[in-house]
Amino acid sequence: MKLTLLVRLAIVSVSFGALSLPAHALDFGSLIPDNKTLSLVGRSADSLNKANQDLTPLQQYYLGRAFGATILQSRKPVDNPDALRYVNFLGQALALVSDQPETYSGYRFLILDTPEVNAFSGPGGFILITKGLVKLTHNEAELAAVLAHEIGHVALEHGVKAIQKNRLTGAWVGIGADAAKTLGPDEVKQMTAAFEGSVTDLTTTIVNKGYSRDTEFEADARAVTVLRRAGYSPQALVAMLQELKAMPQGAGPSIAKTHPAPQDRIDRVMKLISKDPLVTLSPTEVSRYQTALGGL
Amino acid sequence: MKKLLIPCLLLVSWSLWAASAAVQVKEASLYAEPSATAKFLGKLPYGTVISILETKGGWARVAAQGNGLTGWVRSLSYTTKTLDLKAGAQTSGASSTEVSLAGRGFSEEVEQDYKTKNPTLDYADVDKMEAQGIPDPDLDGFLQDGGLNPDGGRP
């Protein structure tokens, strides 16, 4: 702890130096040979085309917060600190063994107090899962399967890819032209409009329309990898999909509306895990799951 | 003499920057070894300028400029694009890396403006959610308690 503080103190001055770089940085332009300048112009144009992919962890963090704030307008978190803490321990531990363990502020998990069966993952790792879905799980491995699937969406930046490209490029070009100055009130407005549009794209895709079938299969494949690495049976994902398949249809807005048919997903996952051995849950895993979620 | 000195200084700074990167996450965890189970040394905050000394798998051994503190961080926690930031700024300035590292793009200011325009958004619960961060060493503990190994598979 002491060390952390020391590190922070020592670095504050360095950080300020780094953040004020852009203004001085312009001076270095004179060192760039002409042909390089040309290629940089080309790259800037190229970077406009893939502006969404280029969203930094910090940009994704703000989008993820707004996405969460939007979902939480109509659905509230469960009032159960033990359950919330447990789902964060499990989810953050799984994220640690994923291919994308680090986002701007780290992965966070929340249980929404609704019988609805669904899960939503915002950019930067803001993952919201409904009580209805948590209650559909029988053990830690199955809950891990659900969280690992959502972590897969975040790691693959599916949310960010759902944002229409012109949302960002317009604002980036309009405001980015003079890189050294701070935003004026009109520019903040323009950037906020781009932000608002991006959040609308996120919620429309994730909550209303759902991702494409291939996108869901990709997240399932990532979930299998994460479950293996964390030492859980990837068969737990199949078990969860079977639960979804057994759910009565037409029970309001649910995971069925935004995801491919469970059987299609089961077939795909089975191909991936045919050689995986079954892993028995440890007594600790069994008891901590029951202790944390028993009161839900 | 002066005429020579300035280009020399510029070149020296250029080469220093060429080897450097910046922390792009809120806090990058610094470890003694390239593993989340290794001794935890501390955190490097967003924007910290680091030198990359060595890379291994998804990890890099880095030295924080200024205090020279060294250790291993995940490669995802830093960006080397600060170099583009200088060069790109001279051209069209359209790179989003440059925009964001310069404190532009989506920012706290934009979030504030967005909140004001949409007062029914529930940011209070998002803040609570964000406060649920668990330190890496405790996550290791959770994995190990369950008989799991953070570096993959059961021990």
Side-chain angles (χ1 to χ4, degrees), chain A residues 131-148:
Chain A
K131 187 166 84 178
L133 182 51
V134 173
K135 287 180 88 100
L136 216 55
T137 67
H138 299 100
N139 54 51
E140 189 169 290
E142 290 182 10
L143 181 58
V146 172
L147 301 181

Side-chain angles (χ1 to χ4, degrees), chain A residues 3-288:
Chain A
L3 182 63
T4 309
L5 189 69
L6 274 176
V7 172
R8 268 182 216 230
L9 285 173
I11 271 152
V12 163
S13 55
V14 181
S15 320
F16 280 129
L19 290 172
S20 61
L21 233 187
H24 312 292
L26 292 167
D27 302 340
F28 288 92
S30 58
L31 287 175
I32 303 166
D34 279 344
N35 59 339
K36 250 196 175 164
T37 309
L38 279 174
S39 79
L40 281 166
V41 173
R43 187 169 56 199
S44 292
D46 185 44
S47 72
L48 284 180
N49 296 329
K50 56 185 181 72
N52 296 10
Q53 288 158 267
D54 281 350
L55 280 176
T56 65
L58 182 62
Q59 309 282 308
Q60 296 197 27
Y61 162 79
Y62 284 115
L63 287 170
R65 278 174 57 82
F67 174 76
T70 306
I71 300 276
L72 285 160
Q73 280 183 121
S74 51
R75 302 166 178 89
K76 291 294 138 195
V78 293
D79 183 18
N80 187 328
D82 288 346
L84 289 173
R85 191 166 166 73
Y86 171 73
V87 79
N88 272 286
F89 258 104
L90 180 59
Q92 291 178 36
L94 291 166
L96 205 62
V97 298
S98 74
D99 287 333
Q100 176 69 281
E102 209 144 11
T103 62
Y104 178 76
S105 75
Y107 288 76
R108 296 292 185 273
F109 300 82
L110 190 79
I111 304 170
L112 297 165
D113 196 1
T114 162
E116 183 187 347
V117 174
N118 217 337
F120 312 104
S121 49
F126 290 86
I127 294 173
L128 306 110
I129 164 172
T130 64
K131 187 166 84 178
L133 182 51
V134 173
K135 287 180 88 100
L136 216 55
T137 67
H138 299 100
N139 54 51
E140 189 169 290
E142 290 182 10
L143 181 58
V146 172
L147 301 181
H149 173 90
E150 296 306 317
I151 291 166
H153 279 312
V154 175
L156 292 159
E157 299 188 354
H158 286 154
V160 170
K161 286 172 191 162
I163 299 169
Q164 292 173 32
K165 291 195 168 44
N166 59 5
R167 298 260 188 227
L168 303 181
T169 48
W172 262 218
V173 172
I175 297 167
D178 186 1
K181 65 176 175 60
T182 46
L183 293 188
D186 286 349
E187 290 166 328
V188 171
K189 263 185 205 158
Q190 197 185 335
M191 198 55 89
T192 304
F195 187 71
E196 203 157 23
S198 304
V199 177
T200 303
D201 289 348
L202 282 172
T203 46
T204 304
T205 300
I206 298 170
V207 184
N208 301 74
K209 293 197 316 208
Y211 291 123
S212 70
R213 292 162 54 83
D214 284 345
T215 304
E216 293 301 337
F217 296 140
E218 263 185 289
D220 281 342
R222 287 294 179 105
V224 166
T225 305
V226 165
L227 289 170
R228 271 183 198 140
R229 285 184 190 159
Y232 294 105
S233 284
Q235 280 85 351
L237 178 58
V238 175
M240 267 320 291
L241 292 169
Q242 273 158 351
E243 284 295 331
L244 295 179
K245 194 182 157 189
M247 260 172 45
Q249 294 299 306
S254 77
I255 209 158
K257 204 180 100 186
T258 51
H259 286 70
Q263 190 57 50
D264 289 355
R265 294 173 65 190
I266 292 170
D267 293 346
R268 300 266 192 136
V269 172
M270 287 302 276
K271 280 182 195 154
L272 296 175
I273 65 168
S274 58
K275 285 175 187 154
D276 279 85
L278 276 168
V279 183
T280 315
L281 288 163
S282 73
T284 308
E285 287 164 336
V286 173
S287 67
R288 70 188 177 191

Side-chain angles (χ1 to χ4, degrees), chain B residues 13-113:
Chain B
S13 333
W14 176 258
S15 62
L16 278 176
W17 280 105
S20 72
V23 172
Q24 64 167 351
V25 295
K26 198 173 187 178
E27 290 176 320
S29 299
L30 195 69
Y31 295 94
E33 303 289 334
S35 159
T37 52
K39 191 181 173 208
F40 178 71
L41 301 176
K43 302 264 192 189
L44 302 177
Y46 179 81
T48 302
V49 178
I50 52 176
S51 300
I52 313 296
L53 307 174
E54 180 186 348
T55 57
K56 194 177 179 184
W59 294 80
R61 194 163 69 87
V62 303
Q65 283 189 10
N67 64 3
L69 197 87
T70 61
W72 293 84
V73 298
R74 292 188 190 87
S75 306
L76 295 163
S77 61
Y78 64 82
T79 175
T80 53
K81 286 186 182 169
T82 43
L83 292 170
D84 292 351
L85 180 148
K86 297 189 311 262
Q90 185 71 1
T91 58
S92 79
S95 145
S96 57
T97 302
E98 161 198 323
V99 170
S100 64
L101 284 181
R104 311 289 299 279
F106 302 153
S107 60
E108 208 171 332
E109 203 180 10
V110 171
E111 185 179 284
Q112 273 307 331
D113 196 35

